[in-house]
Amino acid sequence: MSQTADSVLDQMEHEHSHHGPRKGPLRWLLTVNHKDVGTMYMVLALVALLVGGVMALLIRAELFQPGLQLTQPQFFNSLTTMHGLTMIFLAIMPGLTGLANWMVPLQVGADDMYWPRVNNWAFWMLPPAAIMLWIGFFMPQGAPGGGWTLYAPLSSTYAPPSIDWVIMAIHIMGISSILGALNIILTILKMRAKGMRLWDMPLFTWTWLITGFLLLLAMPTLAIAVTMLLTDRHLGTAFFDATNGGDPVLFQHIFWFFGHPEVYIMILPAFGIVSEIVPAFSRKPLFGRTSMIWAVIAITFLSAIVWAHHMFTVGLPVEAQVLFMYTTMLIAIPTGIKIFNWVATMWRGSMTFEAPMLWALAFIFLFTIGGFSGLMLADVPADYQYHDTYFVVAHLHYVVVTGSLFAIIAGVYYWLPKWTGHMYNSALAKWHFWLSVISVNVTFFPMHFAGLAGMPRRIPDYPLQFMDFNMISTVGSFVFGFSQLLFIWLIIQSVRGGKKAGDRPWDGAKGLEWTLPSPPPYHTFTEPPSPQTVREEGPHGYH
Amino acid sequence: MMWKKLLLVPITLITAAQAAAQEEPSAFNMTRGVTEISRDAFDMHMLLFWICVAIGVGVFGVMTWSLIRHRRSRGAKASKFSENTTVEVVWTIIPVLILVGVAVPATAVLMKTNEPAPEPDVVVDVHGSQWKWEYVYPDEDISFVSNLASGSRDASQMNAKENPADNPNYLLDVDNPLVVPTGKDVRLRITSDDVIHAWWVPQLGFKRDAVPGQFNNADIRIDEPGTYRGQCAELCGSGHAYMPVVVEAVTPEEYDKWVAQKQEAAAKEAKQASAPYNFEVAMKQGKNVYDSACASCHQANGKGVPGTFPALEGGEITTGPVDGHLKIVIHGSEKNPVMQAYGDKLSDREIAAVVTYERNAWSNDTGDLVTPEAVEAAR
């Protein structure tokens, strides 16, 4: 009797856990499935990339030649502000979170995220936040123009009304990030398959675990900063209002205590992606796996104690400048270790150059260039000259575009066959790569020169001597922007059909995700992977 | 031997560029500048640059070698190694040593750069303001506003008839430059009246933020006479691109002459300000006030900037009731925070004069004479 009941229950359970997705649009609104949520994050990130990209192209078009041709200065400032906020909070961060939603459960052998319902919520906060952010363009006096850094008092006393909407949008995006981070941390810590020790986890999962903790530190700090802006604007406080005893520099301290970890939130998972791809296409285990993980931990720790290097010109005491210079320089060491380890992974490998590998290699080259300019910026006496010039614009775009964004694209090309079950057109993907990698350098490399020659950032119009560099940058930016349409086309093609991918489309790829069919069924790992599979797909399985 | 010759080409080019950079600002590199601070910054910059080049050649060299030699298409077989403690320790220690090598000179330069001059010969208070600089010489009793020169201003408008290219110092020219003597210690005490700006002249070697509520000192000593140009370097609103910094370094004799001239002019202005108040005097004084306080947004021709700063020529404010006009000048605009309240910054008479000017200048022809008493009543 009891045996029969058990088997009936078993069968019910079986049927329940294998039911497919809901039909129609409600599937996407109500879904708690990590793959659906991951897909939605990725789509949002792509949309935001286009919106923020159009803003960037307007900026570059205005800067094509001296004088004003397209935008009034206030609108130009709104564009730079919104471009930054959109790319950071709606393109890069959701892009990385989307990858985490898709891949973390698959990599640790879990059947879903720890809090599936919260996962749905965390995502659905973002579209309204995006609307709140962008709606400023249609409000009287336009969108805020104080830069993505929102420095007071320009963003408190002197801002248009739309700044309140931006502050609320930031709050919502912050809550979404915190919930997402908690969910990822718990999934990793509580739902790993039996036999997967923490130190055996794939690097992408590792970097996201650490990023999760960094998000828990950083996002509340941002919330504090913008709440203080809001109370200064509406409740009569004077945190940042010097005429009433406040201090505008206080805002910068709080903001950058968030803002510096934020740049590592955008780059650590990128390190993880590259650490998956380089071994796969070198057909060798990742070199120095343990030191890679320790390097990420060291970077995370250092990222929290270097914030004032964004503020070397605000009049800090010289002792503070020295201290922040030292801590900032220290970051070069763990970052260097990571670069060296990737290179050592390739050394005496058996390399092939499919699309994901090409993007990962471009990441290593170009992110290193961004690292070099970062080292230069750390040097305070030289930074007095670099600060707030196009040299900084060049640096941060080498880090965020050819760093974070390139890694996300590499990740998509790496895992897309798994998601859709179809290979993409690899010849077209190579066109996308070469067009992008050439044009991105045409866009951002001349900015180093413009900055060194003295061009301040965030200006709608510039002295004549900067004209040539700006023309080159603008041409590059348009090629880069339109090249991304190829990316979208390739994704659509792969979703619709094409050559079957097979379970493991890349012969060197390792990890539990490759033990699943492509595309993976709607519910995976309802039965956890066997300890033997975990062992074989783990880092020691190569031997 | 061929490769050695090839290597010489870029080195020669770079050395030549560096030599040229010492004379005047280069298009490709940081300017070496005209102060000790700027030359130190330049040297630090070049040191770091060469270190980065060296590391880059090493890392990218090994990587490129791997890409070429260790590819499967050439039949490369993957080896299995994934660890080598010795190598990892070595490549941790070498960067540490390099960083120490950078940090030591950087700290020395930083200390020197921040060392205040014991007894400055000239003190200037620099006030950043949306979107102009005000220079106050407390010891000489001189103060003046430095606005973007009108040539640049006209050419910078959308659909301007003037071409930016016809202005050799487009966006880098002002009506009243900061004048300092050469060979003397000059202390700039930099602050702001509204938002954060940054005072920056590349050839002087640093930028300092102008922060409301605090003075940031910057000591400069310029050895060679000349005109040195820079721009505001902190996003400060819609006029951010339009507040250049121009410093004229002149010999001490010329400087004394300039001080005397400025003081004379100030005395004349003071006399004008205490002359009996009538329409003609008001228009004259009003134009001075307008040019220093209002022109950077509303333009010297009163046409404003469409969509951002309302036109004063033929505008509602300047041709409508006087009360409304006074109110917005004294108390600022409720709708647009960028329009400041000038009640605290200008005297009754100055406000009366500028409002009179605005109501009668250009094609405005209201015939109104606003008196200081009317301003007092409107406060």
Side-chain angles (χ1 to χ4, degrees), chain A residues 246-270:
Chain A
D247 179 7
V249 177
L250 175 65
F251 178 84
Q252 298 185 21
H253 279 293
I254 304 173
F255 179 85
W256 286 114
F257 191 77
F258 144 79
H260 197 77
E262 170 65 25
V263 305
Y264 288 94
I265 287 167
M266 292 192 285
I267 204 66
L268 295 183

Side-chain angles (χ1 to χ4, degrees), chain A residues 141 291 326 386-387 461, chain B residues 45 72 88 107 170 207 335:
Chain A
Q141 296 176 48
S291 63
Y326 291 165
Y386 306 139
H387 184 82
D461 193 7
Chain B
H45 160 69
R72 192 166 64 174
E88 290 195 69
T107 311
Y170 178 61
K207 59 178 69 70
K335 278 193 293 186

Side-chain angles (χ1 to χ4, degrees), chain B residues 353-377:
Chain B
V354 77
V355 171
T356 305
Y357 175 75
E358 285 171 358
R359 300 182 75 78
N360 295 286
W362 318 298
S363 68
N364 291 353
D365 204 8
T366 59
D368 295 334
L369 172 63
V370 181
T371 62
E373 291 76 28
V375 176
E376 201 188 347

Side-chain angles (χ1 to χ4, degrees), chain A residues 170 185 191 202 299 334 337 522:
Chain A
I170 287 174
I185 291 171
M191 297 176 71
I299 291 169
I337 289 174
Y522 197 60

